[in-house]
């Protein structure tokens, strides 16, 4: 019985994936261009007008040469809320990057040195930073991977650790995005 529930859940996830869904229902923007595609939804849960959306993202996985699904999720949050009338002054995502995802926020020079190609996430990272999204790299992951501050896209900051960054963000009222 449990295996059937797992299979049903997996299939539901595939059907709801933008990559497999009707792409014509999804569009980019209005804030982050070229990333974070969203669909219009007739939602029953109203977005409170006075709510500050303080959401922390934990991004630890990445695949060389590919765009970051985690960073795209941050763009999707921004675009989704803005498209539904939430002003940017109330949208406050924060990103904590560690492990393999560390490379997604490195300069093209460092990324090319490591993987032989330019970083496919550079433009998205620059747009997120330009909109005031703080991106913190786990200092422990950086040290383990021999990545210095100078190897990071300008504006990306280093935290003592991902664990420490999340504790600080939690104390500042951020909720942890479960996806």
């Amino acid at each position: 019985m449990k295996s059937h529930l797992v299979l049903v859940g997996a299939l539901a996830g595939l059907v709801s994936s933008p990559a497999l869904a009707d792409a014509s229902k999804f569009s980019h923007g209005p804030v982050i261009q070229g990333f974070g595609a969203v669909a219009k939804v007739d939602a029953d849960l109203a977005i409170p007008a006075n709510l500050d959306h303080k959401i922390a993202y934990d991004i630890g996985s990445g695949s060389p040469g590919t765009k970051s699904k985690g960073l795209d999720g941050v763009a999707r949050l921004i675009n989704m809320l803005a498209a539904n009338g939430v002003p940017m002054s109330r949208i406050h995502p924060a990103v904590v990057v560690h492990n393999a995802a560390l490379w997604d926020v490195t300069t093209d020079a460092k990324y090319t040195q490591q993987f032989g190609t330019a970083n496919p996430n550079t433009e998205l990272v620059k747009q997120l930073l330009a909109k005031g999204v703080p991106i913190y790299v786990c200092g422990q992951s950086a040290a383990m991977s021999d990545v210095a501050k100078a190897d990071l896209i300008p504006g990306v900051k280093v935290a003592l650790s991902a664990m420490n960054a999340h504790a600080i963000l939690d104390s500042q009222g951020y909720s942890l995005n479960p996806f």
Side-chain angles (χ1 to χ4, degrees), residues 99 139-147:
N99 295 335
Q140 304 304 303
S141 294
M144 187 177 298
S145 298
D146 197 29
V147 172

Side-chain angles (χ1 to χ4, degrees), residues 20-143:
L20 298 175
D22 180 0
S24 68
K25 293 180 182 178
F26 292 82
S27 62
H28 295 100
V31 177
I32 305 295
Q33 300 301 315
F35 303 95
V38 297
K40 288 188 179 233
V41 174
D42 182 16
D44 294 315
L45 181 61
I47 301 171
N50 63 346
L51 179 64
D52 282 327
H53 301 267
K54 296 176 82 173
I55 302 170
Y57 283 77
D58 181 84
I59 304 174
S61 61
S63 182
T66 64
K67 292 181 180 178
S68 168
K69 291 178 183 177
L71 292 172
D72 192 67
V74 179
R76 192 169 52 253
L77 172 79
I78 294 168
N79 286 338
M80 182 177 14
L81 291 173
N84 284 280
V86 177
M88 278 303 297
S89 62
R90 295 231 177 248
I91 303 172
H92 307 284
V95 180
V96 178
V97 178
H98 57 95
N99 295 335
L102 163 72
W103 297 102
D104 294 338
V105 297
T106 59
T107 62
D108 282 338
K110 184 66 174 182
Y111 197 93
T112 299
Q113 178 186 10
Q114 183 71 17
F115 301 111
T117 186
N119 185 345
N121 299 291
T122 299
E123 177 59 30
L124 175 53
V125 170
K126 287 180 177 180
Q127 284 194 55
L128 292 172
L129 291 168
K131 294 301 176 186
V133 177
I135 300 175
Y136 301 102
V137 165
C138 172
Q140 304 304 303
S141 294

